[in-house]
Amino acid sequence: MSDLFVKICGLRTARDVDVAVEAGADAVGFVFAASPRTVDAETARRLSGRVPDHVLTVGVFRGQSMEEVRRLTEESGIRAVQFHGDEGPAYYEALRAPGRTLIRATAAGELPVRCGELDEDLLLLDAPDPGSGTPWNWASPRFTAPEGRWLLAGGLHPDNVRQAVEATGAWGVDVSSGVESERGVKSEQLIRAFVAAARG
């Protein structure tokens, strides 16, 4: 599955970004929500300027006002917006723009979900506590894979990502804490290992 979409999230340094791109990531994520990985718009703009056009730059938001999301998106120059909270349809409608990708992140649960329910382009299924590195039970027989293009996240790391993709049939994967040497600090070796393992 060499065409698996791979996103490396929570990047904060030029080296992190360069390594993710060199390793073959399809997307790199910058966190604007409260987190040990938070960056400001100026940092995200500087880092995203290092990213080639074929790699998607993503800003991650959670529980922020529409005005703040819009401002940070425009100031940073990122090309995709990922909502991690309970943002409703108005957010997706307001942030829709030519060339911009909208990603809806939601906690995995018993009920099946479908990509596009809020007019998003991509759906991300995460653990109940996003960014914690805690896995959820994606191997459960009760798990129903979403329809459409969706990313698997939550507790993934180089040693389990291939198994997770094979178990769920995910279109893509997203990792943050699973490629860190300590909370908020990325590991070059783990980033490279994750991308290689994800693509089998």
Side-chain angles (χ1 to χ4, degrees), residues 8 29 38 52-53 70-71 77 129 132 135 138 157 161 170 181 187 189:
I8 310 292
T38 305
D53 289 343
R70 196 195 308 275
R71 177 182 63 79
D129 185 13
S132 66
W138 37 258
H157 51 73
V161 62
S181 54
S187 159
Q189 291 75 20

Side-chain angles (χ1 to χ4, degrees), residues 159-177:
D159 294 335
N160 71 1
V161 62
R162 191 69 228 154
Q163 177 192 0
V165 170
E166 289 169 356
T168 62
W171 177 83
V173 290
D174 180 22
V175 68
S176 183
S177 58

Side-chain angles (χ1 to χ4, degrees), residues 142-196:
R142 290 183 294 184
F143 172 67
T144 303
E147 296 176 30
R149 299 197 301 174
W150 69 282
L151 308 182
L152 179 68
L156 298 180
H157 51 73
D159 294 335
N160 71 1
V161 62
R162 191 69 228 154
Q163 177 192 0
V165 170
E166 289 169 356
T168 62
W171 177 83
V173 290
D174 180 22
V175 68
S176 183
S177 58
V179 291
E180 291 179 347
S181 54
E182 58 185 270
R183 192 155 170 80
V185 180
K186 293 293 184 276
S187 159
E188 176 178 339
Q189 291 75 20
L190 290 175
I191 290 174
R192 296 186 190 280
F194 183 87
V195 177

Side-chain angles (χ1 to χ4, degrees), residues 2-194:
S2 60
D3 57 349
L4 182 78
F5 187 94
V6 178
K7 173 171 169 269
I8 310 292
C9 200
L11 303 181
R12 297 191 301 162
T13 71
R15 185 62 184 154
D16 292 346
V17 170
D18 292 349
V19 168
V21 170
E22 288 164 14
D26 299 289
V28 292
F30 306 108
V31 177
F32 294 115
S35 160
R37 306 168 186 93
T38 305
V39 295
D40 57 26
E42 184 181 343
T43 301
R45 175 172 283 282
R46 177 171 50 80
L47 296 178
S48 62
R50 308 177 70 85
V51 179
D53 289 343
H54 69 275
V55 177
L56 189 64
T57 52
V58 182
V60 178
F61 300 90
R62 186 180 194 185
Q64 288 148 282
S65 71
M66 203 177 294
E67 292 70 26
E68 185 181 9
V69 174
R70 196 195 308 275
R71 177 182 63 79
L72 289 168
T73 298
E74 291 171 358
E75 289 180 2
S76 63
I78 51 158
R79 292 166 38 219
V81 172
Q82 178 175 315
F83 290 120
H84 246 287
D86 54 4
E87 293 86 1
Y91 273 81
Y92 293 84
E93 189 176 335
L95 272 295
R96 171 69 62 193
R100 182 178 295 156
T101 300
L102 300 179
I103 304 170
R104 174 170 65 106
T106 188
E110 300 277 315
L111 297 176
V113 290
R114 178 178 57 82
C115 178
E117 288 174 334
L118 293 182
D119 199 31
E120 74 274 14
D121 302 294
L122 296 175
L123 177 71
L124 187 147
L125 272 195
D126 205 347
D129 185 13
S132 66
T134 306
W136 52 276
N137 190 12
W138 37 258
S140 167
R142 290 183 294 184
F143 172 67
T144 303
E147 296 176 30
R149 299 197 301 174
W150 69 282
L151 308 182
L152 179 68
L156 298 180
H157 51 73
D159 294 335
N160 71 1
V161 62
R162 191 69 228 154
Q163 177 192 0
V165 170
E166 289 169 356
T168 62
W171 177 83
V173 290
D174 180 22
V175 68
S176 183
S177 58
V179 291
E180 291 179 347
S181 54
E182 58 185 270
R183 192 155 170 80
V185 180
K186 293 293 184 276
S187 159
E188 176 178 339
Q189 291 75 20
L190 290 175
I191 290 174
R192 296 186 190 280
F194 183 87

